Amino acid sequence: MKIICLIENTAADEKLFFEEGLSLFVEFNGRNYIIDTGLTGKAVDNARRMRLPIDEIDGVIITHNHAAHIGGIDAIMRLNPKAEVFLRAGAQNEVFKKNGLFKSPVGAGKSFFKKYSDNRCCSTAFQKCARASILQAVRISMTKT
């Protein structure tokens, strides 16, 4: 298994973009996955600069509904229109930021989940997904480092 950070708030190389948010490229059992997609499509640009097969993604795993984690989904899905989208149960919940007396949304809203409903393989718990083993392997790998 290989896990490569595509984008986050720092860059390991001056030729790579950085932004608020996170996107990880995971190669596991001959398949390619993206965990979260960053704030914009710059994760795709970084993947190309790192010569990763960004146009051969089998699945996109969304951890939660926050723009910094799902904002780049359109760029990924344009290249991989048949990629499955994996969600955990709470990923569809609206996320808000409190600003004084008011709340403002920081997620993508309900339209995001309608847009990719044909690709969605799981909207309940990750463990109920057919390919949940990737998530278990990532959890194990990240706890060992």
Side-chain angles (χ1 to χ4, degrees), residues 85-97:
V85 178
F86 297 85
L87 305 170
R88 67 177 185 82
Q92 295 183 66
N93 295 342
E94 291 283 351
V95 178
F96 295 91
K97 174 178 81 172

Side-chain angles (χ1 to χ4, degrees), residues 73-74 77 85 111-120:
I73 187 103
D74 289 339
M77 296 306 284
V85 178
S111 63
F112 164 79
F113 299 101
K114 289 178 186 168
K115 186 174 185 176
Y116 296 109
S117 62
D118 290 344
N119 300 79
R120 204 167 58 210

Side-chain angles (χ1 to χ4, degrees), residues 132-143:
S133 60
I134 175 71
L135 300 165
Q136 296 298 330
V138 168
R139 284 187 191 130
I140 291 166
S141 174
M142 294 177 99
T143 57

